[in-house]
Amino acid sequence: MPISFRNTVRLVAALLLAAAVTQSVYTALYASGAEVPRQLLWGLEGVIFTLMAGFAGAAMLAARQHYLAWSSIAFAAVLNVVQVGVGLTMFGPFFEVASEVEAFAPAAAAIVAFSFMVYNAAKVLLALALIALGLARRDIGSRMLGGIAVLVGTVAAIANALSMALGRDFTGELPIAGGSGVLATVLLAICLLRLSGEEA
């Protein structure tokens, strides 16, 4: 039995919320100095984003509108799979070698920088999707949700684009790019849930 477009939208929204939760848990554990189960959290994120790429891609082909939002979500999911894959498979070996051979330290730093570059690019795409859906919601009368979505999406898009262009530490200790990106992900899921109630 084929999965309906409405259910596909709801699945993508659920996957976005799940990704926001895992990223929030990781950040909270890391900030508190607690031991972070990277294999578990990043492995779970890898599965979440792989499923998201498939369902968002299917929705992009089946949608009657909001093509920019759907393509942005689908490609953001693919980029996140790459980013998580780099973290899981390359961080450990590179930092292990760098701890023994100092000359490898720049290579380890480059791997981390590449990972964050991909992470920020994915967040820019999710923010773009939120802006597109926020403008659509505002046009059909949901001014509050639409306005908040456009505002948060714009902040997340600019912050993550600047992180790509200037380096992830351009704001110092302020997690503007990551925090606004997670908030944009949650709002994007809310917009999609509202959309699923309106489109069959």
Side-chain angles (χ1 to χ4, degrees), residues 75-89:
F75 284 108
V78 173
L79 286 176
N80 271 305
V81 172
V82 173
Q83 188 262 335
V84 170
V86 170
L88 279 176
T89 64

Side-chain angles (χ1 to χ4, degrees), residues 91-151:
F91 279 13
F94 269 87
F95 278 101
E96 184 177 347
V97 172
S99 66
E100 298 177 0
V101 182
E102 188 176 350
F104 277 91
I111 291 295
V112 174
F114 171 70
S115 177
F116 273 95
M117 179 84 169
V118 177
Y119 171 85
N120 292 130
K123 285 290 185 280
V124 169
L125 287 173
L126 290 179
L128 185 60
L130 179 60
I131 293 170
L133 288 181
L135 290 172
R137 296 232 58 85
R138 200 170 61 179
D139 289 343
I140 63 173
S142 299
R143 291 191 176 276
M144 180 174 291
L145 177 58
I148 294 173
V150 171
L151 176 61

